[in-house]
Amino acid sequence: MQPGSDRRTWQRYIALGDSFTEGLSDPDPGTPDAFRGWADRLAGHLAAAAPAGTVEYANLAIRGRLLHQVLAEQVPAALAARPDLVSLVAGGNDLLRPGADPDRLAADLEQAVVGFREAGADVLLVTGVDPRQTPIIRRTRGRVAVFNAHLWSIAARQGAVVVDQWGAAWVQDARMWDAGDRIHLTAEGHRRTALAAAAALGVPVTGDDTDWRTPLDPAPPRPAREVLAQEAAWVRGFVVPWIGRRLRGRSSGDGRTPKQPELRPVQAGERVG
């Protein structure tokens, strides 16, 4: 437990960020083309732990957003809503780009953390995952590591909480990731991340509060032909379109609005998203 207060329950939680927090690749079974995600699931855990059995929750995250967009668009709206807890997870899209400066990104992020702390909100940060096992994306490993180191320092200086994805063994399992893009967690990955966040905040979760730490049983070996076919499909289906959007100055989040822009009550036991 690392927060800047001794709170274990919160009343107003706002999630900020990009596709990771929007919840991509965690489909909401009750709503077509909608996603849940770890932040929605965390809101449910917060509600269950709250004395009144409810928490107000908003999710301002939008896929494709760069850090400067999150800081300019989402942070002011969140501050105006007077949350007592925010999750601020951004910078991952920046770090995918050649020439990204993790030192500058961290300095900008810290200013937002300072603003929330001065406003009386606790802040939840999440480190980037170690990309050593992902072709092409592993080239960002050094930048991600530097940014992560800054996150821990920011947390120490500002009294924030950090969820450590870099050191999580389970998150290195390919089955935790969308096979199509390899950068978005599956439903199981989001479930575990929500539990990891609850644990970092000191929020008790009844039932499945410990199994998230346990890696899956080893997967059976795959034939080399299958591996090569999947690699080729990933390059065609994700890498090439991603490069094309960059060249055109486009983003997957263009024209999108937050899925939950206003605070709304979440009841204990309610499926969020």
Side-chain angles (χ1 to χ4, degrees):
M1 180 66 177
Q2 322 139 40
S5 77
D6 58 1
R7 283 187 292 217
R8 296 297 187 274
T9 63
W10 289 265
Q11 296 180 324
R12 294 180 304 281
Y13 165 44
I14 300 181
L16 314 178
D18 51 32
S19 58
F20 172 68
T21 300
E22 186 184 345
L24 264 61
S25 297
D26 182 12
D28 178 5
T31 308
D33 301 321
F35 299 95
R36 294 183 68 195
W38 70 271
D40 288 17
R41 295 168 181 266
L42 175 60
H45 297 322
L46 294 172
T54 185
V55 64
E56 290 187 286
Y57 168 60
N59 189 319
L60 307 184
I62 299 177
R63 67 194 70 175
R65 287 298 192 260
L66 299 172
L67 177 61
H68 75 88
Q69 294 172 309
V70 172
L71 300 181
E73 300 166 5
Q74 299 176 26
V75 168
L79 282 169
R82 300 173 61 87
D84 52 14
L85 175 65
V86 298
S87 56
L88 177 55
V89 189
N93 289 320
D94 301 79
L95 293 170
L96 286 171
R97 301 181 176 212
D101 182 351
D103 300 317
R104 181 70 262 166
L105 292 170
D108 293 343
L109 181 74
E110 183 164 14
Q111 290 306 305
V113 174
V114 169
F116 282 120
R117 297 295 292 132
E118 289 179 345
D122 289 319
V123 179
L124 179 68
L125 306 173
V126 182
T127 69
V129 174
D130 186 346
R132 67 182 185 274
Q133 296 187 143
T134 306
I136 302 177
I137 296 177
R138 70 165 62 102
R139 295 172 180 268
T140 69
R141 192 179 191 219
R143 296 195 293 272
V144 175
V146 171
F147 187 68
N148 285 351
H150 279 301
L151 293 183
W152 287 107
S153 296
I154 291 169
R157 286 192 294 268
Q158 309 303 337
V161 180
V162 180
V163 177
D164 180 20
Q165 287 198 120
W166 180 276
W170 62 266
V171 84
Q172 290 295 331
D173 193 310
R175 292 168 290 180
M176 295 291 174
W177 298 92
D178 186 308
D181 62 34
R182 303 183 185 178
I183 61 170
H184 295 117
L185 292 167
T186 61
E188 175 63 9
H190 280 285
R191 184 189 74 84
R192 290 178 179 235
T193 300
L195 291 169
L201 290 166
V203 175
V205 178
T206 303
D208 58 354
D209 60 338
T210 58
D211 73 324
W212 62 270
R213 296 181 174 89
T214 306
L216 298 176
D217 292 333
R222 295 180 297 158
R225 179 178 297 180
E226 178 183 325
V227 173
L228 290 173
Q230 290 181 347
E231 295 298 316
W234 176 64
V235 171
R236 290 193 306 270
F238 172 73
V239 177
V240 172
W242 185 87
I243 292 174
R245 289 196 299 273
R246 299 289 79 73
L247 293 175
R248 297 192 301 273
R250 301 291 301 276
S251 167
S252 59
D254 287 347
R256 291 187 173 273
T257 57
K259 66 178 183 180
Q260 180 57 46
E262 304 293 337
L263 285 165
R264 76 167 183 84
V266 173
Q267 305 296 327
E270 176 183 351
R271 178 184 287 272
V272 185

